Amino acid sequence: MAATADIPVIDISAADQDAVARQLVDAAEEHGFIYIKNLGADISSGSIDGAFALSKKLFDAPLSEKQACTIQTNNRGWSGMHSETLDPKNQKIGDFKEAFNFGEFVNGKAQQPLPPTIASDEPQIGAFAASCHSLCQKLLHLLGIGLGVGDFFSSAHSADGESSSILRFLRYPPPDQTSRSSDDVRAGAHSDYGSITLLFRLKGQAGLELHKKDGGWAPVPVCPPGSENDPSPPILINIGDLLSYWTNGLFRSTVHRVAFPSDDEATKVEGETSAGPRYSIAFFCHPAGAVPLEPVPSDRVKNFVPDDSAPNENPYAERKVMTANEHLFMRLKASYGTLYDEKKP
């Protein structure tokens, strides 16, 4: 079986929140990916199960309903098979997945068209998105404490201003229902665009891999050792390019992908399979769009010296970026080039 990715598991309910903050900062610097557990009232296992049920309901909706909500340059709506290419330099064909992006909800109402199949579920989806944002605020505040800058990050992600945060439902079709070559992947190698990502997965569904510092790929188990009997798997969080850029590269934005099944035993995780459809839910947290990405006033950030011998996996880290929206648009254009060439946001 596979040698799985080295990712720490952090109990965010621990009484000593300063210690939790230090653990999160250390993990963000060293790994970029972190399992978090014991969420308490932040997000319940029942609400996660309910979100996955809605995801399946949405993707089973008639194609015409989904096409009527096709993704726009505001990054909201439905994207079909191959419409997104996360690794355009190396992929011959777009990702083998479909997705639906929900933007901000205002007073529980979506600010975009929804397929009629899930229209009555709008309050449930909005409540889940709000819970995700609340958890992200808690994590961002802890990261700020760990860096000695208090609410520097969390205040920039206030829901009061327009944000590009996205709740995304994803479905990958079964491998035996796809026509592909040996070089194809379900989702191309990429790093996320925003501040932090919450990733929810279903037990037994394989596919996620991260790029190791020494090269090569390592699978990321849905359930790390010791969590197999938990009601829901620990949530996986990861640092995005924007937060990596903001911290001068101190926080690591780790490249990852979703792979097709392989006959190589070294890539398999016990108890997981890629045989059927794969569902996941991601919440991509972004600051308010107009927030300037000014240097983080932290001595740890100021004194950080990047390791020049290690490749910089964030291809946008050295670009001059003024606002959160400018940073995001730069990344979206690379993945949806045609869409963004046709229209300006």
Side-chain angles (χ1 to χ4, degrees):
M1 289 293 171
T4 57
D6 178 21
I7 300 174
V9 181
I10 296 178
D11 181 351
I12 64 169
S13 70
D16 188 345
Q17 289 289 285
D18 288 342
V20 173
R22 291 191 295 271
Q23 292 173 37
L24 285 170
V25 166
D26 289 345
E29 178 178 358
E30 179 63 23
H31 302 278
F33 271 72
I34 310 160
Y35 291 106
I36 57 172
K37 65 177 185 178
N38 294 335
L39 306 180
D42 291 305
I43 299 181
S44 69
S45 59
S47 67
I48 296 171
D49 292 342
F52 273 112
L54 288 177
S55 175
K56 293 177 181 179
K57 182 179 179 181
L58 184 155
F59 291 121
D60 286 341
L63 179 61
S64 58
E65 284 191 20
K66 294 183 286 188
Q67 287 178 328
C69 301
T70 295
I71 195 166
Q72 303 297 309
T73 52
N74 61 7
N75 198 30
R76 299 173 182 179
W78 177 77
S79 56
M81 288 277 287
H82 311 310
S83 61
E84 182 178 25
T85 307
L86 288 171
D87 186 11
K89 290 185 179 179
N90 296 303
Q91 286 179 260
K92 297 176 182 177
I93 188 170
D95 292 354
F96 286 77
K97 69 175 191 284
E98 62 175 311
F100 199 99
N101 289 4
F102 299 92
E104 281 191 313
F105 286 73
V106 177
N107 296 322
K109 295 291 185 180
Q111 305 302 295
Q112 65 191 87
L114 298 180
T117 293
I118 62 164
S120 63
D121 302 303
E122 183 179 36
Q124 183 181 346
I125 300 169
F128 185 73
S131 295
C132 289
H133 184 267
S134 178
L135 176 57
C136 286
Q137 285 288 72
K138 178 177 181 176
L139 295 169
L140 288 162
H141 183 64
L142 286 167
L143 288 169
I145 291 174
L147 287 178
V149 294
D151 65 353
F152 180 87
F153 296 127
S154 56
S155 63
H157 292 73
S158 170
D160 295 337
E162 183 177 345
S163 164
S164 294
S165 293
I166 291 291
L167 172 65
R168 175 173 245 203
F169 290 172
L170 296 118
R171 181 187 185 274
Y172 301 80
D176 61 6
Q177 295 180 16
T178 62
S179 176
R180 66 184 193 279
S181 71
S182 59
D183 295 330
D184 288 330
V185 290
R186 281 173 138 176
H190 67 286
S191 49
D192 288 351
Y193 307 162
S195 297
I196 55 175
T197 301
L198 308 180
L199 180 63
F200 305 87
R201 296 180 290 163
L202 292 173
K203 289 183 177 180
Q205 296 190 354
L208 180 63
E209 299 178 342
L210 64 77
H211 192 245
K212 298 183 293 185
K213 287 184 177 180
D214 60 357
W217 295 91
V220 181
V222 176
C223 297
S227 69
E228 295 85 354
N229 296 321
D230 292 355
S232 289
I235 294 177
L236 190 63
I237 68 170
N238 63 280
I239 302 300
D241 288 348
L242 185 147
L243 199 55
S244 178
Y245 173 87
W246 216 349
T247 57
N248 195 34
L250 173 70
F251 288 172
R252 186 178 177 218
S253 181
T254 303
V255 170
H256 51 285
R257 69 182 184 183
V258 178
F260 278 111
S262 168
D263 293 331
D264 184 357
E265 290 295 323
T267 66
K268 296 180 180 179
V269 175
E270 186 175 359
E272 296 186 2
T273 178
S274 297
R278 179 182 186 271
Y279 292 87
S280 64
I281 297 173
F283 184 80
F284 301 104
C285 191
H286 291 260
V291 167
L293 302 181
E294 298 170 333
V296 180
S298 162
D299 288 340
R300 185 161 175 173
V301 171
K302 181 180 179 181
N303 297 328
F304 173 69
V305 179
D307 181 0
D308 293 334
S309 65
N312 184 354
E313 292 185 324
N314 177 0
Y316 300 91
E318 296 180 2
R319 300 264 187 106
K320 183 178 180 180
V321 178
M322 295 301 295
T323 68
N325 267 351
E326 288 171 343
H327 187 279
L328 174 63
F329 176 72
M330 190 164 54
R331 298 304 312 276
L332 290 172
K333 190 175 186 303
S335 294
Y336 297 100
T338 302
L339 172 66
Y340 282 83
D341 285 342
E342 290 172 352
K343 302 174 185 177
K344 292 186 177 180

